[in-house]
Amino acid sequence: MGKTSNRQVRRIIVSGYYGFNNSGDEAVLKSILNALHAEGEAQGITIEPVVLSADPAWTTRMYGCEAVQRMSPSVLLREIRRCDGLISGGGSLLQDATGWKTIPYYTGVLTLAQMLGKPTFIYSQGVGPVNRGWLFAPIRRVMNKSRYVSVRDAESAALLSRIGVPQERIEVVPDPVMGLPLPEGTQTSAASSASTDALPVIGVSLRHWRKDGVDLERAAAALAALASRRSVRYRFLPFHTPDDTETSQVVIDRLTAIGIGSSIAELAAPGDDPQQMLLEVSRCDMMFGMRLHALIYAANQRVPLIGLSYDPKIDQFLNRLGLTAIGTTEQLDPAQFAASADSLLSDLDGWRSRHGEVIDRLKREAQRPAQQIVALLSQTTKR
């Protein structure tokens, strides 16, 4: 972004789970960068983002912005001293389901910025689950010292309120990815099948969760049950490579062993760019998703969706659309899935009509954190 003599320039660090080849988190980053740039232009401010990344060179190539190593204390200290503020988010950063070290890292980055007198902003985070009580204190401390706090669902807001963050300080907004646009110069019609053989295209996003793999066996049985009712094209979409690629291949092999008649199962390779994955999702007629951002991508593009829950965040997002999960990693009835998916495929336009208004509202509200943060940065005196 170019500088002009009559524009304020604000250098802002963006902290999150970036540079790990996870399409959902990369989509969060892309959405935040887009929104900050758009709001900066609207408010007459040049925003210069600096991303904390596990792979700074890749992040710079992908997004055209400065990126630095997220785990180097000396780099963090240097960059925070140079910045005008720090954004933490979005995604599920403050949770201990994946281990206890996650929360200390992200609260530690926020604490360092606050100790150096830099304003901090929480951008549409999903908070929880937090099963270790000793982690409440650092979360409460950094939240109460942040200039702006936004979370992506009411459950996250309720958890923060229970641990001592005043409710009036918390804004509930959609996930940033609800505002992500398709790649420039592309367009698609969600109302028509992307398949050249006229089979309805069903995007499938699964992840490895249960160690015994029973959840994937259930998912394969459900997909086979639908294929026994009608011919479809299953397009498996790996959101986190290489893990999801391997998981998808396991399920494809299982479907081949079961037999799916004239239906087709294939693995997509949309690459690293989150907008290319969004385009891939937009070309589906329906989405069967376990990954949260697979479901968010689908809603973003008005692609009718069915969710499989492995975490409360799945249920929380579905609830915002007025939906419930078809099953969980502990229970999924193949006949129920097949009947629901068959019914949905027979009334795609009806689904869009029923949920379109909510989706449009979520897309508008997804810009709210960027609007607030840029406005606050414009009031900040450069150090």
Side-chain angles (χ1 to χ4, degrees):
M1 304 172 196
K3 300 180 185 179
T4 59
S5 58
N6 61 343
R7 288 172 68 95
Q8 299 182 62
V9 178
R10 292 292 182 267
R11 184 177 176 87
I12 186 81
I13 290 177
V14 184
S15 168
Y17 190 74
Y18 308 131
F20 289 95
N21 294 317
N22 186 314
S23 180
D25 288 288
E26 295 304 323
V28 166
L29 175 58
K30 179 68 172 178
S31 301
I32 291 174
L33 295 177
N34 280 1
L36 290 174
H37 176 68
E39 286 305 319
E41 290 295 306
Q43 298 186 40
I45 300 174
T46 296
I47 301 296
E48 292 186 345
V50 181
V51 178
L52 303 184
S53 173
D55 190 344
W58 180 88
T59 297
T60 294
R61 288 196 306 272
M62 180 61 67
Y63 305 112
C65 66
E66 189 174 345
V68 297
Q69 178 53 243
R70 73 197 295 271
M71 295 302 291
S72 168
S74 61
V75 169
L76 286 174
L77 184 60
R78 181 194 71 209
E79 292 302 326
I80 291 174
R81 280 176 170 162
R82 296 175 60 197
C83 79
D84 298 300
L86 182 142
I87 289 172
S88 181
S92 303
L93 304 184
L94 301 180
Q95 51 79 28
D96 61 0
T98 57
W100 67 267
K101 297 179 181 179
T102 302
I103 291 174
Y105 170 77
Y106 291 110
T107 58
V109 171
L110 283 160
T111 298
L112 180 58
Q114 291 166 354
M115 289 175 61
L116 293 172
K118 305 297 182 176
T120 58
F121 313 95
I122 310 302
Y123 199 123
S124 188
Q125 283 200 21
V127 183
V130 182
N131 299 304
R132 297 166 175 87
W134 61 273
L135 291 170
F136 291 158
I139 295 173
R140 177 173 58 249
R141 184 172 59 249
V142 296
M143 291 289 172
N144 284 333
K145 290 184 177 180
S146 289
R147 291 283 303 277
Y148 173 74
V149 176
S150 61
V151 294
R152 69 185 180 195
D153 51 66
E155 291 81 1
S156 294
L159 174 56
L160 290 182
S161 181
R162 287 198 301 274
I163 68 175
V165 181
Q167 200 162 18
E168 62 271 16
R169 300 198 72 243
I170 308 165
E171 184 167 32
V172 179
V173 296
D175 188 284
V177 179
M178 282 301 299
L180 184 67
L182 288 170
E184 190 173 346
T186 62
Q187 59 182 8
T188 186
S189 172
S192 61
S193 174
S195 174
T196 56
D197 52 22
L199 294 179
V201 178
I202 299 178
V204 181
S205 169
L206 300 174
R207 63 168 297 169
H208 179 73
W209 188 250
R210 285 180 57 120
K211 291 182 179 179
D212 60 10
V214 172
D215 50 343
L216 299 181
E217 292 180 8
R218 294 193 189 104
L223 294 172
L226 175 59
S228 70
R229 295 176 69 122
R230 67 157 75 199
S231 296
V232 296
R233 176 183 290 268
Y234 291 124
R235 191 146 173 81
F236 285 76
L237 305 173
F239 271 71
H240 191 180
T241 58
D243 297 355
D244 289 6
T245 302
E246 297 169 0
T247 297
S248 296
Q249 194 59 58
V250 166
V251 178
I252 291 173
D253 292 344
R254 179 65 178 161
L255 288 174
T256 300
I258 296 172
I260 54 174
S262 58
S263 292
I264 297 168
E266 61 192 11
L267 183 62
D272 296 322
D273 190 329
Q275 286 179 293
Q276 290 299 321
M277 178 64 92
L278 181 65
L279 180 62
E280 189 76 45
V281 171
S282 76
R283 291 170 172 166
C284 296
D285 294 291
M286 189 191 95
M287 170 63 69
F288 174 46
M290 187 175 170
R291 287 278 186 191
L292 173 63
H293 282 97
L295 300 173
I296 294 175
Y297 276 36
N300 176 308
Q301 291 299 301
R302 293 174 175 255
V303 173
L305 57 94
I306 293 178
L308 179 66
S309 180
Y310 75 95
D311 184 279
K313 65 186 179 182
I314 303 297
D315 303 287
Q316 291 157 7
F317 177 70
L318 292 173
N319 288 342
R320 297 192 80 167
L321 296 177
L323 302 172
T324 57
I326 192 67
T328 70
T329 49
E330 304 304 313
Q331 186 277 326
L332 175 61
D333 183 273
Q336 182 186 2
F337 169 82
S340 297
D342 189 33
S343 176
L344 186 54
L345 287 169
S346 299
D347 187 28
L348 298 174
D349 288 337
W351 188 96
R352 295 186 188 97
S353 177
R354 291 189 297 275
H355 300 286
E357 185 175 340
V358 172
I359 289 171
D360 288 342
R361 175 171 55 79
L362 293 178
K363 289 169 77 75
R364 290 193 303 270
E365 292 176 354
Q367 307 306 311
R368 176 73 174 165
Q371 294 168 357
Q372 293 287 85
I373 291 168
V374 172
L376 290 168
L377 284 171
S378 70
Q379 303 164 12
T380 302
T381 301
K382 285 183 70 64
R383 295 174 180 268

